[in-house]
Amino acid sequence: GEEASGDVKDEIRRIPVPPHRQTPLRTNWEKIVTTVVENMKLQIRMNVKRKCVELKTSPHTTEKNALQRSADFLKAFMLGFDLNDAIALLRLDDLYLSLIH
């Protein structure tokens, strides 16, 4: 297996994609990937069989809650948030999301 550097061990989060969000996800995929990879230093891929997006920590992941925040970002998008609003959530800290749950 891969060596995890630092204290962030390889973790995977799966975010289910509801049928009505598959097209918007495809449309925005490139921007979503860029956001997650560049800002959160995570790996991301679409698992077509499972109809979910998989997030995985990478050796470059530095932020401990990067996975959680990226998962929340994707969940917000799946709930129907506009991509830019979801990205704004990612930039804000966790406090904002507690208002939504």
Side-chain angles (χ1 to χ4, degrees):
E2 300 162 312
E3 302 273 319
S5 66
D7 48 6
V8 180
K9 64 181 200 315
D10 276 5
E11 272 189 81
I12 293 181
R13 288 280 168 94
R14 293 189 175 90
I15 295 87
V17 183
H20 68 285
R21 294 304 280 167
Q22 283 174 14
T23 303
L25 182 70
R26 233 173 275 136
T27 309
N28 293 290
W29 182 246
E30 216 162 287
K31 196 168 181 191
I32 289 171
V33 169
T34 307
T35 302
V36 168
V37 173
E38 287 182 6
N39 295 315
M40 304 312 254
K41 311 278 186 271
L42 295 173
Q43 295 170 350
I44 180 172
R45 70 184 193 130
M46 179 70 201
N47 185 326
V48 180
K49 245 195 232 114
R50 283 188 152 152
K51 293 196 169 48
C52 67
V53 176
E54 295 180 343
L55 292 169
K56 186 173 173 284
T57 50
S58 80
H60 307 291
T61 312
T62 49
E63 211 181 313
K64 269 194 166 59
N65 63 352
L67 205 58
Q68 180 61 53
R69 288 177 62 193
S70 300
D72 286 341
F73 153 67
L74 280 162
K75 281 179 201 155
F77 181 76
M78 300 311 172
L79 284 172
F81 276 75
D82 179 72
L83 182 63
N84 291 327
D85 293 341
I87 289 173
L89 285 182
L90 190 60
R91 300 226 167 97
L92 285 170
D93 239 334
D94 315 3
L95 83 171
Y96 191 73
L97 269 167
S98 58
L99 300 175
I100 297 170
H101 289 314

